């Protein structure tokens, strides 16, 4: 039992089979020793001193452990396992308290590590239930510093330094390991209780019993409280992550699972703790294990956490306003599914909180369903019943169900409802030295593509990576591929002096290490390079052009688009027209376009596709050139220039949804065999990371043929998945 002000303390000391002192528990080794003694504070009496060995599953002791503790594997092999030792601890403490006429107590340990980093994690892994006393304790180092403010900082304190500060005996060899530590801790406590100090133990440390879910409502988050966990199993939930950090206090709603561009978990999570001390202890769990996988733990920032966990949508806020709900994510719903369909699928054995109010469908900005939904359940039992329906059929589709979090709800909604990124491209860059540098085109394979670069890699890193081959790079032949935020995407293209040189580089440097990552190197042509720089994708299915390269991207009923974004002529000199996005293939539009500007596709064209704007960085190497940002005024002036509307070509457009992610043009042509289609009629859509989105646009020669295809092929199987067709 515990109390805010206890009359009795149980002084507790322990050791593991590995590291000792400040690193206790950081190596994930098991507990092998517990020593304790009851102290009655009012009378300054003590109970018997108890020492108990603990039998670990792994009896391989570290050299430091054997040297410091004097214990052996043979001796530990005869000891009791942890669960029985904890039972003995509880019984002996109760007996000693009864002898002193007391009933309540609070633990007192040397620092935080024994309780937070050893006992709680190990008990969690072994599925042991710790008694309430292990959720509240006094940190003797903090109490000592409060009593003696002029002593060393808390993080530098040890039992020995505290004893020396008070002038107590410090000969550890006089007693067995653990016994001297407990006796000295008791002596330190009695000194703090003396009339000169009269210290009172009033504010114990606490360990949270369970992780509290909920939305992140903070506008700012202290960066000293956030970590990034990497390498998580894809199916792990916020509760699994909280269990990994058992013993440390995570802030309410402080687990934010990160998603990839497809909205799936990418094996990373941002975790926010209640203070920096808890965060620092979490960093000590770097490469600890979750099941058979080790988890990397790094520092992160509050800004990163808010990007993932923060949200401004009123719809999300209302959905998450109910406290202490279990959230389940449903994926793969038919696009025609209604609230009644979902409630009927879940059934009476797992009632949804608030009925229809406990459902949140995820939609695109134009209101179309994505096939995802989130569901609230009031208790764990109902959620477990729902999870049993994983991969059951609704309509003609099997439905996936996963545990989810408030942060994931916000992240998914923010991702799907965000506006297109094309209008917010970074300020164009123009060279200080004005001559334009052309980007090669053609089918000669005299270029190489570097994929998987560290995001911190720069031109110098690439040149060092290339080694002797840097002499074979064309002047200004290195092109870093940036994402829509203007940051490195992990890709780069390099123009070599010949196809033979490109071949040699690809052979020599493929999967060579750069910093802590291996980099893939492929030979390619200038044409392939330009397609990727413009937003196209090069993969096993062939070359998929960027959306702007296709003749018909919108329904025939749209006669014109709104004003397109433009780039001033001085910036266009750097990014040559063949590396930018043409306005249209229409001869009339081409003739009418002013020669001083180069067009990006209009924002309205974003209605029917996801688009990724990749563009080359300034071609600065191997000869370096300086660059400055174009003045905003130049961009604004160019944006006011008049230009011709984009004219759609005749035909009818059908949207395909639910495609297998490995579907290419061949598979789609085969699916529509007999409908007078060819390769130029098909556009496979890609998401912001260049991966297939599971959707495609198909242009049919006539509206009647498109209607016939929708009527005959909608809901049919392609590669094991039911494909939905819509006439747009």
């Amino acid at each position: 039992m515990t109390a805010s002000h206890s009359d009795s303390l149980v002084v507790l000391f322990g050791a593991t089979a590995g590291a000792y002192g400040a690193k206790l528990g950081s190596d994930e080794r098991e507990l092998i020793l517990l020593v304790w003694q009851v102290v009655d504070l009012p009378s300054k009496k003590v109970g018997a001193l108890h020492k108990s060995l603990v039998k670990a599953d792994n009896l391989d002791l570290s050299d430091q452990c054997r040297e410091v503790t004097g214990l052996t594997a043979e001796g530990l092999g005869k000891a009791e396992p942890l669960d029985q030792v904890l039972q003995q601890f509880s019984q002996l403490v109760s007996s000693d308290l009864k002898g002193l006429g007391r009933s309540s107590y609070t633990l007192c340990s040397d620092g935080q590590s024994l309780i937070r980093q050893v006992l709680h994690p190990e008990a969690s892994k072994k599925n042991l239930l710790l008694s309430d006393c292990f959720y509240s304790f006094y940190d003797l180092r903090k109490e000592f510093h409060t009593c003696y403010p002029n002593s060393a900082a808390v993080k530098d304190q040890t039992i020995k330094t505290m004893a020396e500060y008070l002038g107590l005996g410090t000969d550890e060899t006089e007693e067995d390991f653990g016994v001297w530590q407990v006796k000295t801790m008791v002596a330190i406590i009695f000194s703090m209780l003396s009339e000169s100090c009269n210290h009172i133990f009033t504010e114990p440390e606490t360990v949270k019993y369970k992780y509290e879910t909920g939305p992140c409502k903070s506008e700012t988050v202290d960066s000293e409280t956030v970590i990034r966990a990497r390498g998580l199993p894809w199916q792990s939930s916020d509760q699994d992550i909280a269990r990994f950090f058992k013993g440390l206090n995570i802030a309410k709603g402080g687990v934010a699972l990160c998603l990839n561009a497809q909205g799936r978990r990418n094996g990373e999570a941002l975790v926010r703790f209640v203070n920096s001390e808890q965060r620092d202890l979490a960093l000590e769990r770097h490469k600890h294990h979750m099941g058979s996988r080790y988890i990397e733990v790094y520092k992160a920032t509050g800004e990163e956490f808010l990007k993932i966990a923060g949200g401004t949508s009123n719809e999300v806020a209302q959905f998450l306003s109910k406290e202490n709900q279990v959230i389940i994510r449903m994926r793969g719903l038919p696009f025609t599914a209604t609230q009644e369909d979902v409630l009927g699928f879940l059934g009476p054995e797992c009632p949804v909180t608030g009925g229809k109010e406990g459902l949140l469908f995820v939609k695109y900005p134009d209101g179309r369903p994505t096939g995802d939904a989130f569901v609230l359940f009031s208790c764990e039992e109902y959620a477990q019943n729902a999870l049993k329906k994983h991969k059951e059929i609704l309509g003609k589709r099997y439905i996936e169900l996963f545990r989810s979090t408030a942060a994931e709800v916000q992240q998914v909604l923010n991702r799907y409802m965000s506006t297109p990124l094309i209008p917010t491209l970074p300020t164009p860059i123009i060279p200080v030295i004005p001559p334009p540098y052309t980007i090669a085109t053609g089918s000669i394979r005299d270029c190489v593509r570097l994929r998987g670069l560290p995001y911190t890699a720069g031109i110098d890193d690439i040149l060092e990576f290339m080694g002797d081959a840097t002499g074979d790079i064309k002047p200004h032949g290195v092109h870093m591929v940036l994402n829509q935020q203007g940051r490195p995407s992990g890709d780069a293209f390099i123009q070599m002096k010949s196809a033979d040189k490109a071949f040699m580089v690809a052979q020599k440097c493929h999967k060579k290490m750069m910093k802590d990552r291996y980099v893939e190197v492929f030979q390619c042509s200038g044409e392939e390079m330009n397609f990727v720089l413009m937003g196209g994708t090069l993969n096993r299915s062939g070359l998929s052009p960027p959306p702007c390269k296709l003749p018909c991207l919108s329904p025939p009923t749209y006669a014109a688009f709104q004003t397109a974004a433009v780039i001033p002529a001085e910036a266009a000199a750097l990014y040559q027209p063949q590396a930018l996005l043409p306005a249209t293939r229409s001869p009339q539009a081409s003739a009418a376009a002013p020669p001083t500007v180069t067009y990006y596709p209009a924002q309205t064209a974003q209605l029917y596709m996801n688009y990724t704007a990749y563009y080359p960085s300034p071609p600065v190497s191997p000869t370096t050139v300086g660059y400055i940002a174009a003045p905003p005024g130049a961009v604004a002036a160019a944006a006011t220039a008049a230009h011709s509307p984009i004219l759609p070509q005749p035909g009818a457009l059908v949207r395909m949804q639910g495609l297998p992610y490995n579907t290419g043009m061949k598979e789609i042509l085969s699916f529509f065999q007999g409908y007078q289609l060819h390769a130029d009629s098909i556009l496979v859509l890609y998401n912001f990371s260049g991966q297939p989105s599971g959707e495609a646009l198909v242009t049919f020669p006539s509206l009647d043929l498109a209607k016939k295809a929708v009527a005959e092929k909608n809901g049919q199987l392609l590669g094991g998945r039911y494909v939905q067709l819509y006439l747009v």
Side-chain angles (χ1 to χ4, degrees), residues 402-414:
F402 307 96
R403 283 185 173 275
S404 188
T405 67
E408 186 173 33
V409 176
Q410 291 172 328
Q411 199 178 164
V412 170
L413 266 292
N414 289 344

Side-chain angles (χ1 to χ4, degrees), residues 424-712:
T424 58
L425 280 170
T427 304
I429 300 174
I430 60 173
V432 175
I433 301 174
Y437 303 106
T438 59
I439 296 178
T441 57
S443 59
I444 299 175
R445 298 174 67 80
D446 58 353
C447 302
V448 291
R449 179 182 184 181
L450 275 60
R451 189 169 68 189
L453 295 168
Y455 296 121
T456 56
I459 299 295
D460 292 338
D461 298 308
I462 292 176
L463 296 181
E464 182 181 350
F465 174 81
M466 299 282 289
D468 297 338
T470 53
D472 299 320
I473 302 175
K474 286 184 179 180
H476 315 291
V478 177
H479 308 279
M480 302 284 288
V481 181
L482 309 180
N483 62 22
Q484 55 266 30
Q485 284 81 35
R487 297 174 181 149
S489 67
D491 279 25
F493 286 90
I494 301 175
Q495 296 172 256
M496 307 301 293
K497 291 181 178 178
S498 68
D500 290 340
K501 299 296 185 185
F503 175 80
M504 292 300 294
V505 169
Q507 293 294 313
K508 181 180 177 181
C509 296
H510 184 55
K511 293 197 174 180
K512 181 179 170 184
M513 298 298 291
M514 181 186 293
K515 299 185 178 179
D516 59 344
R517 300 187 66 171
Y518 74 81
V519 178
E520 298 174 292
V521 183
F522 307 101
Q523 186 180 10
C524 66
S525 67
E527 181 183 16
E528 292 168 339
M529 176 182 77
N530 277 303
F531 268 71
V532 175
L533 291 176
M534 293 161 59
T537 302
L538 182 63
N539 57 25
R540 292 176 300 178
S541 300
L543 193 61
S544 297
C548 56
K549 280 287 188 182
L550 266 100
C552 183
L553 296 181
S554 302
T557 52
Y558 286 89
F561 294 122
Q562 298 173 359
T563 302
V566 296
I567 290 183
E570 59 263 37
L574 176 60
Y575 302 125
Q576 292 298 306
Q578 62 264 38
L580 289 170
L581 312 181
T584 176
R585 287 186 177 183
S586 168
Q588 298 91 335
S590 299
T596 57
V597 295
T598 306
Y599 292 92
Y600 277 96
Q603 180 175 349
T604 312
Q606 304 301 314
L607 276 174
Y608 296 96
M609 69 194 64
N610 291 327
Y611 176 75
T612 304
Y614 285 100
Y615 53 95
S617 66
V620 296
S621 60
T623 305
T624 303
V625 181
Y627 291 85
I628 60 173
V635 180
T640 61
H643 62 281
S644 300
I646 300 172
L647 300 175
Q649 293 191 357
L653 199 64
V654 171
R655 186 183 192 98
M656 304 180 71
Q657 291 184 330
L659 295 170
Y661 291 118
N662 59 354
T663 301
M665 293 185 190
K666 276 185 187 176
E667 290 79 11
I668 295 175
L669 284 172
S670 177
F671 182 78
F672 286 115
Q673 189 172 3
Y675 286 89
Q676 304 175 28
L677 300 181
H678 49 82
D680 290 340
S681 306
I682 298 168
L683 170 62
V684 178
L685 300 185
Y686 293 83
N687 55 37
F688 289 126
S689 65
Q691 300 298 318
S693 66
E695 300 189 12
L697 295 175
V698 183
T699 305
F700 286 81
S702 68
L703 181 60
D704 289 340
L705 203 58
K707 288 181 177 179
K708 179 183 177 184
V710 172
E712 294 178 353

Side-chain angles (χ1 to χ4, degrees), residues 266-545:
N266 65 2
E268 295 189 8
L270 293 170
V271 185
R272 177 190 179 193
F273 294 89
V274 295
N275 55 42
S276 59
E277 181 184 35
Q278 304 288 305
R279 192 283 304 266
D280 292 341
L281 289 172
L283 292 171
E284 294 291 333
R285 300 197 188 182
H286 180 58
K287 293 198 173 180
H288 281 205
H289 287 76
M290 180 183 288
S292 60
R293 304 187 63 166
Y294 72 80
I295 309 301
E296 299 173 82
V297 182
Y298 303 101
K299 290 182 179 180
T301 66
E303 182 182 358
E304 289 175 307
F305 182 83
L306 284 174
K307 282 181 181 178
I308 300 298
T312 56
S313 167
N314 291 332
E315 186 180 18
V316 174
Q318 184 176 357
F319 178 74
L320 297 173
S321 61
K322 299 179 178 65
E323 297 287 338
N324 300 318
Q325 298 292 306
V326 183
I327 305 174
I328 297 295
R329 181 179 180 181
M330 302 180 71
R331 194 165 62 199
L333 292 168
F335 298 120
T336 56
T338 63
Q339 292 177 322
E340 289 78 8
D341 294 333
V342 174
L343 292 174
F345 173 81
L346 294 170
E349 63 272 20
C350 37
V352 177
T353 302
K356 294 180 181 180
E357 293 181 2
L359 295 176
L360 178 63
F361 285 93
V362 183
K363 297 180 181 179
Y364 289 108
D366 59 2
R368 291 178 299 109
T370 64
D372 279 29
F374 292 95
V375 189
L376 295 178
F377 295 99
S378 60
C379 66
E380 189 66 31
E381 179 186 355
Y382 295 158
Q384 287 292 344
N385 290 339
L387 290 172
K388 292 176 183 176
K389 296 180 179 290
H390 180 58
K391 293 198 173 181
E392 288 190 8
I393 300 295
L394 174 58
K396 293 182 179 180
R397 305 192 66 174
Y398 72 81
I399 311 302
E400 299 174 292
L401 289 95
F402 307 96
R403 283 185 173 275
S404 188
T405 67
E408 186 173 33
V409 176
Q410 291 172 328
Q411 199 178 164
V412 170
L413 266 292
N414 289 344
R415 183 183 301 275
Y416 280 111
M417 295 304 294
S418 59
T419 55
L421 294 170
I422 290 295
T424 58
L425 280 170
T427 304
I429 300 174
I430 60 173
V432 175
I433 301 174
Y437 303 106
T438 59
I439 296 178
T441 57
S443 59
I444 299 175
R445 298 174 67 80
D446 58 353
C447 302
V448 291
R449 179 182 184 181
L450 275 60
R451 189 169 68 189
L453 295 168
Y455 296 121
T456 56
I459 299 295
D460 292 338
D461 298 308
I462 292 176
L463 296 181
E464 182 181 350
F465 174 81
M466 299 282 289
D468 297 338
T470 53
D472 299 320
I473 302 175
K474 286 184 179 180
H476 315 291
V478 177
H479 308 279
M480 302 284 288
V481 181
L482 309 180
N483 62 22
Q484 55 266 30
Q485 284 81 35
R487 297 174 181 149
S489 67
D491 279 25
F493 286 90
I494 301 175
Q495 296 172 256
M496 307 301 293
K497 291 181 178 178
S498 68
D500 290 340
K501 299 296 185 185
F503 175 80
M504 292 300 294
V505 169
Q507 293 294 313
K508 181 180 177 181
C509 296
H510 184 55
K511 293 197 174 180
K512 181 179 170 184
M513 298 298 291
M514 181 186 293
K515 299 185 178 179
D516 59 344
R517 300 187 66 171
Y518 74 81
V519 178
E520 298 174 292
V521 183
F522 307 101
Q523 186 180 10
C524 66
S525 67
E527 181 183 16
E528 292 168 339
M529 176 182 77
N530 277 303
F531 268 71
V532 175
L533 291 176
M534 293 161 59
T537 302
L538 182 63
N539 57 25
R540 292 176 300 178
S541 300
L543 193 61
S544 297

Side-chain angles (χ1 to χ4, degrees), residues 118-324:
V118 178
L119 278 166
H120 278 281
E122 185 173 340
S124 177
K125 287 179 181 178
K126 295 181 176 179
N127 292 317
L128 303 179
L129 188 64
L130 291 176
S131 61
D132 290 348
C133 69
F134 292 101
Y135 289 86
S136 178
F137 68 98
Y138 288 108
D139 181 346
L140 184 59
R141 299 181 189 186
K142 288 185 178 181
E143 298 294 329
F144 185 84
H145 189 71
T146 301
C147 187
Y148 302 101
N150 295 326
S151 61
V154 173
K155 63 183 180 64
D156 299 324
Q157 296 279 19
T158 64
I159 295 174
K160 189 172 183 178
T161 59
M162 289 187 286
E164 289 175 346
Y165 185 87
L166 296 173
L168 303 176
T170 58
D171 187 0
E172 300 179 42
T173 61
E174 293 181 359
E175 304 280 359
D176 289 343
F177 179 78
V179 174
W180 177 86
Q181 281 80 358
V182 169
K183 286 185 175 180
T184 305
M185 289 169 70
V186 172
I188 292 169
I189 291 170
F190 284 157
S191 296
M192 294 165 62
L193 295 174
S194 64
E195 292 183 3
S196 59
C197 297
N198 199 25
H199 183 73
I200 301 175
F201 292 83
T202 56
E203 296 182 8
E205 302 285 316
T206 58
V207 179
K208 286 189 175 183
Y209 283 87
K210 65 177 183 177
Y211 166 65
E212 297 178 89
T213 61
C216 174
K217 298 179 180 179
S218 304
E219 294 184 0
T220 59
V221 172
D222 184 1
S223 292
E224 296 301 311
T225 64
V226 183
I227 61 93
R228 180 183 294 273
R230 182 178 296 162
L232 299 164
W234 67 268
Q235 72 273 27
S236 52
S237 66
D238 56 346
Q239 298 295 338
D240 296 321
I241 295 167
R243 185 173 182 179
F244 176 80
F245 289 110
K246 185 68 175 176
L248 305 180
N249 293 341
I250 299 174
K252 182 177 180 179
V255 176
L257 297 165
C258 300
L259 307 181
N260 62 18
Q262 289 80 42
R264 299 175 183 268
R265 295 169 189 171
N266 65 2
E268 295 189 8
L270 293 170
V271 185
R272 177 190 179 193
F273 294 89
V274 295
N275 55 42
S276 59
E277 181 184 35
Q278 304 288 305
R279 192 283 304 266
D280 292 341
L281 289 172
L283 292 171
E284 294 291 333
R285 300 197 188 182
H286 180 58
K287 293 198 173 180
H288 281 205
H289 287 76
M290 180 183 288
S292 60
R293 304 187 63 166
Y294 72 80
I295 309 301
E296 299 173 82
V297 182
Y298 303 101
K299 290 182 179 180
T301 66
E303 182 182 358
E304 289 175 307
F305 182 83
L306 284 174
K307 282 181 181 178
I308 300 298
T312 56
S313 167
N314 291 332
E315 186 180 18
V316 174
Q318 184 176 357
F319 178 74
L320 297 173
S321 61
K322 299 179 178 65
E323 297 287 338
N324 300 318

Side-chain angles (χ1 to χ4, degrees), residues 110-117 137 139 142 205 277 281:
D110 171 35
Q112 307 267 320
S113 296
L114 177 61
I115 306 291
R116 295 191 186 275
Q117 299 284 69
F137 68 98
D139 181 346
K142 288 185 178 181
E205 302 285 316
E277 181 184 35
L281 289 172

